[in-house]
Amino acid sequence: MSRLSRVLLGVLVALGLVQVAAAPAQAAVPNRWGYAYVNIPSGVPSLAHQAGSWPAGFNVSVTPGVPGETVVRFPQIAGPGGVVHATAVYDGPVICQVAKWMPVGTDIVALVRCHQFGTGTPQAVPFTVTYSESSGAMGGPATAAFGYIHYNAGIISQYNSAGAANIVSVLGVGWYKVTLPGLGFTAPAGNIQVTAVNDLVPARCKVVAWSPGTAAQQAEVRCFNAANAAQNSGFSFTYQRERNINGRWVPPKAFAYTFDHTPANPGPYAPAPVGVNYNSQGAVNTVQSSGLGLRLVTFPKVGYPIDHVQVTAFGNTPAYCNLQTVWLTSGGVAYVRNVVCWNSTTRANNASFVSYTSTQ
C-alpha cells in the first residue's frame, strides 16, 4: 500500500467510514493476569505470594512513588483495559486504593496509594494487588460466570462471560448501580470485589447491596472520601462464580471465596446458600470471630503456595474491611487470620466478601 493510500485509509477510519477488524480474541480467559503481596517499599516483593501469566524468570517489582504510593510493575503482560484490585494488609484504620494503571513497554504498571482514615494522610503499608484482562469466550462449566468493570464517569473497560454489555447507572453522589446481564443464576452465588480507582483524592468504595437474579447480577457500589462523606469516584468491580478472582478455572484447581454476611455470628459457621461459599475442591469454608471486628476465614483443601487474597466490605454503612496480616497455609488449608473491619477508627463487626486463590 502506498503512503498516500495509508493516509487516506487513516482518515476514513477516523471518520468512521471504514472499520478495521480487531485482533482476534484469545481463547482462554484471562488473556493476561498477575497478583502480588507487596510487603516492601522497593525491590521484589514476597515470592511466596506473587504469580502471573508472564514467562519464567520474571518477577513483580515495586518502587516508591509519591508519599503513600507504591508503583507495582507486572512484567511482560502489557495489554489494554482490565481491572486492578488492592487490599491493605495492616492492623490499623488505613485504606488502599488504585490511582491508575497502564501498559509501559512490555509491562503493566499499577499505582497503589494508601492513606489514613479521616485525615487522608498518605501512609505506605503492605497490600495485596491483582490485575487481569479478559476477552472472548470463557468456556468451562455452564454454571460458571465472570465479569468486571473499570468505571470512571463511564465504563473504561469491561468483560462479561455471557458476551453482554455491562451497565453502570448513577444513583446519587458516589452511588452507582452495576448490572452484569446474562450472569444471573437460579440462587445467590458468586463473590464480588470492589476497589476505588482515583488519581486525584483519597477514596474508598464498597458493595452496599447485591441483587443476584436469574437474568443478571446487580449490585450497588458506594464511594467515600478519606472520612465518611459520599464522593464520586472511579472503581474496579469484579464478579466471580466458580472462577478465581482473575477469571481462571483449570488451572488453578485450588481457589475459594465466601460471603461473611452474618458478622455477629461467633461461628464457626458456613455462609449460606452454598453458592456464596464456594470451594473448588468441594470442602466447606467457615468463618468465625477472633474478636470485635476480626473474622477468621478457613478455606480447606485449597491452601497452597503461591496464593492471593482480596477483601471487600459489604453493607449500607461507610464501614470498611482489610486484612489484619498476611494469611497462611498449612496441610492444604488456607487460614485468613484475620479479616479486620473498621467503623471510622474503631474495629466493628461488618459483612465482607473474601476471595482466595492459589496457583495449584
Side-chain angles (χ1 to χ4, degrees), residues 253-258 270 277-287 297-304 328-336 356:
K253 298 178 181 178
F255 64 94
Y257 50 77
T258 195
N277 194 44
Y278 181 79
N279 184 296
S280 66
Q281 295 302 299
V284 178
N285 313 317
T286 58
V287 185
V297 183
T298 303
F299 295 116
K301 296 187 178 181
V302 296
Y304 299 99
L328 59 90
T329 60
S330 178
V333 180
Y335 299 95
V336 179
Y356 172 86

Side-chain angles (χ1 to χ4, degrees), residues 288 290 295-297 324-328 335-339:
Q288 66 187 85
S290 294
R295 305 293 280 173
L296 166 61
V297 183
Q324 184 181 31
T325 188
V326 69
W327 60 98
L328 59 90
Y335 299 95
V336 179
R337 188 181 182 98
N338 295 292
V339 173

Side-chain angles (χ1 to χ4, degrees), residues 39 62 71 87 98 143 168 174 209 214 243 246 282 286 296-297 308 331 346:
N39 59 336
V62 298
V71 180
T87 296
V98 178
T143 52
V168 177
T214 56
R243 292 276 174 162
N246 302 125
T286 58
L296 166 61
V297 183
H308 188 76
T346 303

Side-chain angles (χ1 to χ4, degrees), residues 11-39:
V11 171
L12 291 173
V13 169
L15 293 174
L17 301 177
V18 173
Q19 292 186 340
V20 178
Q26 298 191 26
V29 168
N31 299 331
R32 46 190 66 83
W33 62 275
Y35 58 69
Y37 164 53
V38 177
N39 59 336

Side-chain angles (χ1 to χ4, degrees), residues 67-69 88 90-97 113-125 201-204 224-228 320 322 342 344-345:
E69 179 183 88
Y90 185 73
D91 189 15
V94 170
I95 296 137
C96 291
Q97 69 194 71
R113 294 177 185 165
C114 303
H115 61 272
Q116 297 175 6
F117 174 87
T119 65
T121 303
Q123 182 174 348
V125 300
V201 294
R204 59 192 171 92
F224 305 88
N225 64 8
N228 285 337
Y320 55 100
N322 295 323
W342 302 86
S344 298
T345 58

Side-chain angles (χ1 to χ4, degrees), residues 226-279:
N228 285 337
Q231 172 181 269
N232 293 331
S233 181
F235 59 86
S236 287
F237 179 105
T238 294
Y239 172 75
Q240 59 180 125
R241 187 172 76 234
E242 299 182 27
R243 292 276 174 162
N244 84 341
I245 185 64
N246 302 125
R248 299 173 69 224
W249 175 48
V250 179
K253 298 178 181 178
F255 64 94
Y257 50 77
T258 195
F259 177 24
D260 180 17
H261 50 64
T262 314
N265 187 334
Y269 87 106
V274 294
V276 304
N277 194 44
Y278 181 79
N279 184 296

